[in-house]
């Protein structure tokens, strides 16, 4: 196919890593719009670091609280830095629930949810964006409308359905719906797939490629940044989901981390082990942070739109 | 090549579906009569609950108790139990806030245990628990659960701060009876400190803080919240109105905004349990449940005491109220003899003997109350004043009633409504809901207190 | 759009297969009837969206019809529903709490949607910086979106502490005394709007993906034309970001109308002070699962759905005028 032989055009500065240094610099200037003086880049960097620190505060606060002793938590005003490191809070947090079993359950649900959701949403979004058929945009409005269905009213009918299927206390109610696309992700992907020039698709069709092949071999790699967003959102959604596991998973063998965290917060006399709760929370979100750090680079691989020139 | 890909894709999809089928397959387990499914306590009381279950394992080795934690979203949130009962996956026994019992029972979420009592027990069976605690689990003559722990409200005071304003601590010894509201407010005024900008830095009693609900003050005014004779709730009755007026006046006098800022400074919402203004010695008085164990844990050096709730006039009878948890059988529970025996064990003397000393909470079982266990004896006044205690009325509209009362309290504190306006709003919300359940009467003798 | 960009675009379009495709498309539009080809296209389109159609029936139509039916009854979730006609809808229009909660929600959405868009664009621009350590910035800015809401609320109450919180420190500069921002109905809503911004990373990575879509050649051409950074942002970045803006706008409205978690966590499900954070969704949820008035809750849900649908329709059709999907031609 002609498409795979085109030379990728520079999409963003990071793609230039392989190219020689002077050119990299030039592209950087182009994106920022002007020649940068050393001090303007220093100021930008300081602003960036400041903004990042602001957004890191919640995590810092969680970690600091997780390391404090119960008595230190009663200090007024709160101490910004733990006086002593109580690493045992992390150990206690892990021991307070079947952490590793919950971890495994959550991981399985998340991985399957992400795969199903990326695949199904991509196929459907392709149908709404890359194929042209009569009534397409009207039908798409229905997709948008379904974004506005309030979740509490779906809880009971859906539970009735899954209970009749015998799916309570299994992961199926949390995983299977991902096979059927979701309005949010279809909408998201459609917005990006619509930006792919029709000419490119039509050219491939003239080459007698099947739609299925065009979808997976041409469009899928092109839409990688948006697909990464879908993957990240569905991973975070599945990992942190509380309401679903709450009503569908009643058996400790199948429960997830979010249930474990919530159970932590419910004690008699409101005497929450705050430091251990924070330690558990840090452990729960740590894999997500790592995951994001690893996968954010797919935003770098700008799509090779220019390639069809 | 294209075909191979399509084929591989199809094979992957079939494989995934087969995998899902296996996940579903491993769950359709049969119900074993010797297996009891329990949704038990949450948090750090779980190890204690496990001891009860282990102890029962020695009594009845053929029975296995499968315990899960199904945390709720919050008090009064029935999402998980409603769905589970509908889906037929509810547990045999559920550890539940007794306050919700009448409402859930009236919805049909719970099984009555009266038939089990009639079948297996004698007529005095329920007398082994405090009356208000079994009352709170009753509806229309049926009993829906067995009581576990309870509590009472007391007035805590900071001895150091009291001494500093020249108060003889003997005055607050419970043996001298309840203090008067007037006196507590007078001392509070002496304790109060402000900084240069007019912000409070220390306060005495905050009349709406902690468990000092308008409901609490209404009880002190001998309010009754339900009239059996005509199945009605009157939230604008004088004892209730007086309580709300008291809060309204206090909020204006103390300047609610400034008190609220004080509270949010030293005891912000969602604060760690260790960070409260009473523990931080910024607040001299506090009305609360038993918090003794957490005071010991976080501020072992705090010099404090506690006594009866303050009354309107010297010599008035003490009053207080109690909440607590219970074990109930959701609809669809097996209701077997095995389950019943375990339920009796858990909430009866054996279970409470294990549970109460370990979690420092007040038992409801009379023999356990009399026990010489130091942990129970140290509960002192919390137990002594049980004879004056009552519970919130067990009627079918409990949650909306409580929310409406709290909402009226919010309006009165902020001054957005006068006390009577606020209560009329609450009344308009609750009364029509109650009408749906009439005719209805509270358990016989409810409202009368006594251990 | 700037001329220079059109030049680039035009260059990109002159391509022989593309020209042929144009001809094919032109031929297609001649006939308005469903030709064989149209039918084939329709079939193919429906085939591709078939997973969604199945999902629509199971996850949307079934619960929706269920809610519609239930909304005409009094139903606790347990006993048999009692038919009450339109009673629940009549109640909804007279219930003072519906009015209050709808007002709170509109107040929230009116602030949170535009603020959220601006914050997300700023974060996205930051995440798109041309620096070696950008991965760290991206992760840092996204982390609050990974943190469970209850944990976020723990740090946020430190920010709004009347004495040492940053907001009050700022207010003190103007001579204000300490005040509890969460203790007053209006400021409590504003606090929730601000707290929601910590999770702006979600909208930001959609904008980031949008920014990655913009060909660098456009900026190069604009620079040759002498366009400054502001001009480039207005005439290249913004127009080409419109698909992402439309997405974040509609999902922002949807999220704004259904705001729930933050209020539930910050006020422990009460919706205080003085119903100041009793949002529509929270009230709906409480009716369903705290007061077991499922019929009433369903009626409230149907009303919300209708309002949401109308808003979506409005935005979607207005959007056809401003959203630009053609990256190359502009």
């Amino acid at each position: 196919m002609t498409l795979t032989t085109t030379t990728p055009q520079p999409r963003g500065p990071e793609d230039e890593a392989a190219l020689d240094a002077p050119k990299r610099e030039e592209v950087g200037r182009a994106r920022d719009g002007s020649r940068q003086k050393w001090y303007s880049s220093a100021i930008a960097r300081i602003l960036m670091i400041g903004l990042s620190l602001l957004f890191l505060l919640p995590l810092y606060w969680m970690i600091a609280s997780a390391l404090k002793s119960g008595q230190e938590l009663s200090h007024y005003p709160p101490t910004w830095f733990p006086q002593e490191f109580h690493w045992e809070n992390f150990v206690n947090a892990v021991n307070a629930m079947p952490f590793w079993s919950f971890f495994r359950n959550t991981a399985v649900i998340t991985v399957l949810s992400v795969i199903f959701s990326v695949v199904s949403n991509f196929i459907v979004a392709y149908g709404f964006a890359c194929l042209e058929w009569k009534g397409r945009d009207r039908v798409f409005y229905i997709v948008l409308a379904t974004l506005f269905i309030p979740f509490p009213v779906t809880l009971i009918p859906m539970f009735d359905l899954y209970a009749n299927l015998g799916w309570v206390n299994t992961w199926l109610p949390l995983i299977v719906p991902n096979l059927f696309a979701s309005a949010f992700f279809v909408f998201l992907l459609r917005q990006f797939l619509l930006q792919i020039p029709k000419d490119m698709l039509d050219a491939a069709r003239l080459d007698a490629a099947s739609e299925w092949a065009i979808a997976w071999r041409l469009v899928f790699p092109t839409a990688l940044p948006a697909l990464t967003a879908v993957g990240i959102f569905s991973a975070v959604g599945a990992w942190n989901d509380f309401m679903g596991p709450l009503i569908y998973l009643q058996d400790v063998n199948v429960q997830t981390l979010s249930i474990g965290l919530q159970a932590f917060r419910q004690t008699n006399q409101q005497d929450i082990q705050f430091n251990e709760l924070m330690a558990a929370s840090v452990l729960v979100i740590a894999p997500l942070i790592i995951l994001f750090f690893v996968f954010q680079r797919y935003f770098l691989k700008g799509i090779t739109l220019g390639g069809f020139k | 090549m294209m075909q191979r890909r399509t084929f591989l894709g199809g094979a992957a999809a079939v494989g995934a579906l087969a995998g899902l089928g296996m996940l579903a397959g491993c769950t359709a387990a049969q119900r074993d009569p010797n297996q009891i499914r329990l949704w038990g306590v949450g948090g750090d009381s779980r190890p204690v609950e496990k001891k009860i279950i282990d102890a029962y394992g020695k009594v009845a080795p053929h029975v296995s108790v499968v315990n899960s934690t199904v945390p709720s979203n919050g008090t009064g949130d029935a999402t998980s139990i409603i769905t589970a009962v509908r889906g037929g996956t509810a547990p045999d026994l559920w550890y539940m806030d007794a306050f919700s019992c009448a409402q859930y029972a009236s919805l049909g979420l719970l099984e009555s245990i009266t038939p089990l009592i009639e079948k297996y027990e004698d007529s005095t069976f329920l007398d082994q628990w405090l009356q208000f605690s079994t009352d709170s689990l009753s509806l229309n003559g049926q009993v829906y659960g067995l009581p576990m722990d309870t509590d009472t409200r007391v007035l805590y005071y900071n001895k150091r701060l009291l001494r500093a304003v020249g108060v003889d601590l003997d005055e607050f010894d419970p043996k001298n009876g309840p203090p008067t509201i007037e006196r507590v407010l007078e001392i509070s005024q002496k304790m109060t400190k402000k900084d240069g900008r007019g912000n409070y830095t220390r306060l005495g009693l905050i009349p709406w803080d902690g468990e000092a609900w308008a409901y609490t003050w209404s009880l002190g005014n001998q309010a009754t919240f339900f009239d059996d004779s005509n199945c009605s709730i009157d939230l604008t009755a004088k004892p209730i109105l007086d309580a709300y007026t008291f809060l309204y006046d206090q909020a204006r006098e103390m300047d609610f905004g400034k008190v609220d800022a004080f509270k949010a400074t030293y005891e912000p919402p969602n604060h760690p349990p260790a960070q409260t203004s009473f523990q931080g010695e910024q607040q001299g008085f506090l009305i609360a449940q038993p918090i003794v164990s957490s005071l010991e844990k976080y501020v072992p050096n705090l010099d404090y005491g506690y006594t009866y709730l303050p009354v309107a006039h010297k010599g008035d009878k003490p009053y207080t109220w109690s909440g607590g948890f219970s074990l109930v059988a959701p609809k669809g529970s097996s209701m077997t003899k095995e389950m019943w025996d375990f339920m009796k064990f858990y909430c009866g003397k054996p279970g409470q003997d294990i549970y109460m000393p370990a979690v420092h909470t007040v038992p409801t079982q009379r023999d356990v109350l009399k026990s010489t266990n130091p942990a129970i004896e140290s509960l002192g006044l919390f137990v002594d004043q049980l004879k004056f205690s009552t519970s919130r009325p067990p009627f079918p509209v409990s949650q909306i009633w409580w929310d409406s009362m709290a909402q009226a309290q919010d309006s009165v504190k902020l001054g957005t409504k006068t006390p009577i306006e606020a209560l009329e709003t609450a009344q308009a919300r609750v009364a029509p809901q109650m009408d749906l359940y009439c005719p209805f009467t509270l358990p016989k003798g409810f409202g009368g207190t006594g251990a | 759009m700037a001329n220079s960009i059109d030049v680039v675009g035009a260059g990109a379009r002159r391509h022989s297969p593309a020209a042929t495709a144009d001809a094919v498309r032109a031929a297609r539009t001649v006939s308005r009837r469903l030709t064989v080809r149209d039918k084939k296209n329709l079939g193919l389109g429906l085939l591709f969206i078939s997973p969604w159609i199945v999902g629509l029936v199971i996850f949307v139509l079934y619960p929706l019809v269920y809610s519609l039916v239930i909304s005409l009854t009094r139903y606790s979730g347990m006993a048999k529903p009692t038919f009450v006609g339109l009673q629940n809808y009549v109640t909804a229009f007279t219930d003072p709490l519906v009015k209050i909660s709808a007002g709170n929600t509109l107040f929230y959405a009116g602030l949170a949607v535009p603020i959220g868009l601006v914050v997300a664009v700023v974060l996205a621009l930051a995440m798109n910086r041309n620096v070696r350590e950008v991965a760290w910035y991206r992760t840092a800015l996204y982390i609050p979106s990974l943190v469970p809401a209850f944990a976020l609320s723990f740090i946020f109450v430190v920010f709004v502490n009347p004495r040492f919180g940053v907001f009050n420190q700022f207010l003190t500069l103007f001579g204000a005394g300490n005040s509890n921002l969460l203790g007053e109905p209006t400021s409590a809503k504003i606090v929730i709007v601000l707290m929601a911004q910590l999770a702006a990373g979600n909208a930001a990575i959609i904008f980031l993906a949008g920014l990655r879509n913009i060909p660098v050649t456009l900026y190069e051409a604009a620079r040759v034309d002498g366009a400054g950074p502001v001009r480039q942002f207005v005439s290249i970045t913004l127009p080409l970001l419109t698909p992402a803006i439309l997405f974040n706008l509609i999902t922002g409205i949807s999220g704004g109308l259904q705001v729930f978690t933050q209020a539930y966590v910050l006020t422990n499900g009460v919706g205080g002070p003085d119903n100041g954070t009793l949002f529509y969704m929270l009230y709906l949820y409480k009716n369903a699962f705290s007061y077991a008035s499922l019929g009433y809750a369903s009626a409230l849900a149907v009303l919300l759905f209708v309002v949401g649908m109308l808003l979506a329709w409005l935005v979607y059709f207005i959007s056809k005028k401003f959203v630009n999907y053609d990256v190359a031609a502009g």
Side-chain angles (χ1 to χ4, degrees), chain A residues 70-71 74 76 156 159-160 163 168-170 172 213 242-243 246 250 255 259 262-263 266-269 271-274, chain B residues 2 20 24 27 42-45 68-69 71-73 83-84 86-87 89 265-266 273-274 293 297-298 355 359-360:
Chain A
Q71 296 207 9
S74 71
Y76 179 83
I156 286 202
F159 189 92
D160 287 356
V168 175
N169 267 326
T170 74
L172 295 174
F242 170 66
M243 195 56 100
L246 172 70
Q250 301 154 355
Q255 282 178 329
I259 297 290
Q262 180 70 11
Q266 297 197 331
T267 52
N268 289 325
Q269 311 171 4
D271 187 14
I272 302 170
Q273 302 293 313
F274 191 83
Chain B
M2 227 63 92
L20 289 174
T27 56
D44 56 357
S45 305
S68 323
T69 303
S72 77
N73 249 341
T83 48
R86 291 173 63 96
T89 61
T265 301
Y266 300 102
S293 63
K297 181 155 84 187
Y298 297 117
Y355 192 81
V359 299
H360 301 277

Side-chain angles (χ1 to χ4, degrees), chain B residues 79 86 103 266 403 410-411 416, chain C residues 75 77 163 274 285 290-291:
Chain B
T79 320
R86 291 173 63 96
Q103 184 181 344
Y266 300 102
D403 285 0
D410 247 13
S411 308
T416 54
Chain C
Y75 184 45
R163 203 166 113 195
D274 204 18
Y285 185 85
S290 288
Y291 312 142

Side-chain angles (χ1 to χ4, degrees), chain A residues 1 69-78 96 108 112 116 155-157 159-160 163-172 175-176 179 208-210 212-213 216-217 242-243 246-247 249-252 254-255 258-260 262-275, chain B residues 1-2 5-6 16-17 20-21 23-24 27 37 39 41-46 66-74 77 79-80 82-90 95 149 265-266 270-275 279 282 289-291 293-294 296-300 325 355 359-361:
Chain A
M1 276 198 295
S69 67
Q71 296 207 9
E72 191 181 346
L73 283 170
S74 71
H75 283 200
Y76 179 83
V108 173
L112 290 177
F116 290 172
L155 280 184
I156 286 202
F159 189 92
D160 287 356
N164 281 326
L165 291 172
W167 286 8
V168 175
N169 267 326
T170 74
W171 298 328
L172 295 174
I175 297 172
V176 171
L179 282 171
S210 76
W212 190 249
W216 291 104
R217 298 186 55 197
F242 170 66
M243 195 56 100
L246 172 70
I247 61 177
L249 308 178
Q250 301 154 355
D251 200 3
V252 72
V254 289
Q255 282 178 329
S258 60
I259 297 290
Q262 180 70 11
F264 234 104
R265 302 171 58 204
Q266 297 197 331
T267 52
N268 289 325
Q269 311 171 4
Q270 280 75 53
D271 187 14
I272 302 170
Q273 302 293 313
F274 191 83
N275 38 15
Chain B
M1 162 152 166
M2 227 63 92
R5 273 174 184 268
T6 316
L17 283 174
L20 289 174
L23 286 178
T27 56
R37 292 167 60 239
W39 287 7
V41 302
D44 56 357
S45 305
R46 273 183 73 78
V66 180
N67 189 7
S68 323
T69 303
V70 178
S72 77
N73 249 341
D77 186 321
T79 320
S80 44
I82 288 180
T83 48
V85 167
R86 291 173 63 96
T89 61
Y95 185 80
D149 56 342
T265 301
Y266 300 102
N270 291 321
H271 58 88
Q275 194 193 4
Q279 288 171 4
Q282 291 97 9
Q289 299 137 308
I291 52 169
S293 63
S294 98
E296 266 164 22
K297 181 155 84 187
Y298 297 117
V299 277
F325 279 78
Y355 192 81
V359 299
H360 301 277
T361 172

